[in-house]
Amino acid sequence: MTVAAPVLRHDWSLSEIERIYASPLPDLIFRAQTVHRAHHRPDEVQGCMLLSIKTGGCPEDCAYCPQSAHYKTDVKRTDLASLEDVTEAATRAREQGATRFCMGAAWRDAPKGAQFTQVLDMVRMVRGLGMEACCTLGMLTQDQANQLADAGLSAYNHNLDTSPEFYGNIITTRTYDDRLNTLKRVRDAGITVCSGGIIGMGENMGGRCRMLQQLATLDPHPESVPVNLLVRVEGTPLADMKAEDPIELVRTIATARILMPTSFVRLSAGRMSLSDEAQALCFLAGANSVFLGERLLTTPNPGTTHDEALLDRLGMRLTTSNASAPAHAGG
Ligand code: SAM
Ligand code: DTB
Ligand code: SF4
């Protein structure tokens, strides 16, 4: 359900965002719910399924990431998966209720040549199954973005991850501007943008608001905004971070919902460390998508049986219709 011509703002100031974020929780949730209900069905969440199509050995040094070659983690490196294996996984995902299938690869940038052609084939296959297709392959050239668009890619995931000021504490092998440039290429190719970040990496409230400001001042807004709670993986520099207060996740989601009313806000990584009640609060705050299945890319996720039971308890359900790509202009 969408409402005609929503008023979307792209000029949010940091102080405005901080005021929203820090408002009393009942006020914050009320405002987020009001915005949410004007643009989305409050009892539905989209189910997305993730598959790691090329795992580990990544040359980037993202401090949170178990797939970085800079850190010694339990992740086993793999080559690019075969089209056959990915077709099987996508078919299973659809059977489990997913309407979006996301393929992730641990690359600094998308490769040229045969491997890229193979990814294009995967995109066509997923679209052929009637699901939205999303990829996250690292940085793209304009030509690669255009080819992905031609293959029918619905969305490209490329997260800003954190605020521009905090970014250097987390990643040194590429810049914030590199990220923004890829997002621009994706947008120019006509692919919808999926971009969000991670909370719980030691940033403060101002940092979270600055990240949200970066996302909400993109014009159009990203159609999809994944909010990840750091999964603290043994061997990564952030393994011993103190656990983030789930209420901060709820506040981040509610603020994202208020700033970007028509976007999908995705409750992404980190659900294994959230109670069902905390997840319910995230839905009240305007999250309208989750990843299904027992695995994200390399780390565990609650799994479909648990999620079905949770949604059932909440009187909610997975979205069954598949808008082949979000119909609304997004932002
Ligand atoms: N290599 C590509 C890239 O960085 O864009 C795609 C894959 S990367 C794993 C996709 C996103 O997953 C990252 O941008 C980050 O936001 C998220 N992510 C990775 N490890 C995570 C962790 N331990 N906890 C939470 N989110 C994580
Ligand atoms: C996103 O923002 N979160 C997903 C998806 N985009 C690709 C990935 C989460 C990965 C969590 C760590 C792992 O499982 O390796
Ligand atoms: Fe590589 Fe992406 Fe992990 Fe960074 S987040 S190390 S770019 S796979």
Side-chain angles (χ1 to χ4, degrees):
M1 183 180 75
T2 48
V3 164
V7 181
L8 300 177
R9 285 184 47 198
H10 305 274
D11 61 351
W12 296 98
S13 74
L14 182 60
S15 58
E16 249 179 318
I17 297 172
E18 287 180 344
R19 260 202 313 278
I20 294 170
Y21 185 104
S23 58
L25 196 68
D27 295 345
L28 178 62
I29 300 274
F30 180 73
R31 188 167 171 190
Q33 267 285 308
T34 307
V35 171
H36 190 52
R37 283 163 181 268
H39 303 286
H40 309 272
R41 291 194 57 124
D43 57 347
E44 281 192 359
V45 290
Q46 185 187 29
C48 307
M49 191 79 84
L50 263 176
L51 179 71
S52 182
I53 57 170
K54 186 267 167 193
T55 308
C58 182
E60 303 280 4
D61 69 352
C62 312
Y64 50 78
C65 188
Q67 301 199 67
S68 166
H70 295 258
Y71 318 123
K72 210 172 147 0
T73 67
D74 281 343
V75 166
K76 282 198 191 65
R77 296 183 187 191
T78 66
D79 293 333
L80 181 59
S82 68
L83 178 60
E84 235 182 338
D85 287 353
V86 179
T87 306
E88 208 182 295
T91 308
R92 260 201 320 271
R94 192 176 59 169
E95 283 163 11
Q96 289 182 48
T99 57
R100 175 179 282 218
F101 190 72
C102 308
M103 295 167 279
W107 283 318
R108 172 180 163 79
D109 28 34
K112 306 261 153 53
Q115 287 193 315
F116 192 66
T117 309
Q118 197 163 318
V119 173
L120 296 176
D121 287 341
M122 292 172 188
V123 171
R124 287 190 205 95
M125 174 276 296
V126 172
R127 300 296 285 139
L129 290 174
M131 286 184 286
E132 295 175 5
C134 176
C135 275
T136 178
L137 314 170
M139 293 186 271
L140 295 179
T141 63
Q142 190 62 57
D143 183 52
Q144 287 173 321
N146 295 344
Q147 289 191 60
L148 286 164
D150 288 346
L153 189 71
S154 318
Y156 194 79
N157 168 249
H158 202 66
N159 291 341
L160 291 180
D161 280 340
T162 192
S163 70
E165 293 75 19
F166 197 69
Y167 188 86
N169 298 330
I170 303 296
I171 302 158
T172 69
T173 47
R174 56 168 152 63
T175 66
Y176 214 74
D177 276 347
D178 289 332
R179 292 306 262 185
L180 290 168
N181 287 337
T182 291
L183 290 180
K184 182 169 185 318
R185 291 177 191 130
V186 168
R187 179 60 75 198
D188 288 349
I191 301 169
T192 71
V193 169
C194 172
S195 189
I198 307 178
I199 77 156
M201 299 194 295
E203 75 291 338
N204 56 19
M205 188 268 272
R208 290 192 277 280
C209 291
R210 265 291 273 162
M211 174 182 82
L212 291 172
Q213 184 190 28
Q214 292 292 315
L215 296 167
T217 52
L218 293 173
D219 188 3
H221 293 152
E223 284 80 358
S224 163
V225 180
V227 180
N228 297 280
L229 178 63
L230 175 71
V231 180
R232 294 163 295 162
V233 181
E234 195 70 36
T236 64
L238 299 185
D240 297 325
M241 279 302 304
K242 148 173 159 305
E244 186 54 272
D245 175 0
I247 297 298
E248 297 299 322
L249 176 67
V250 173
R251 287 186 177 278
T252 304
I253 288 172
T255 307
R257 168 52 65 225
I258 293 163
L259 304 183
M260 296 170 277
T262 60
S263 303
F264 276 82
V265 177
R266 305 190 189 274
L267 170 58
S268 302
R271 291 200 296 132
M272 289 301 277
S273 61
L274 293 178
S275 66
D276 284 358
E277 292 76 12
Q279 293 187 61
L281 268 179
C282 292
F283 297 138
L284 287 182
N288 57 344
S289 168
V290 290
F291 286 113
L292 303 175
E294 283 169 9
R295 190 146 291 275
L296 290 164
L297 290 172
T298 66
T299 63
N301 193 49
T304 313
T305 313
H306 184 98
D307 284 341
E308 274 168 3
L310 171 60
L311 291 178
D312 210 42
R313 276 175 79 200
L314 303 178
M316 295 178 69
R317 56 171 185 257
L318 290 176
T319 311
T320 48
S321 65
N322 177 20
S324 53
H328 59 73

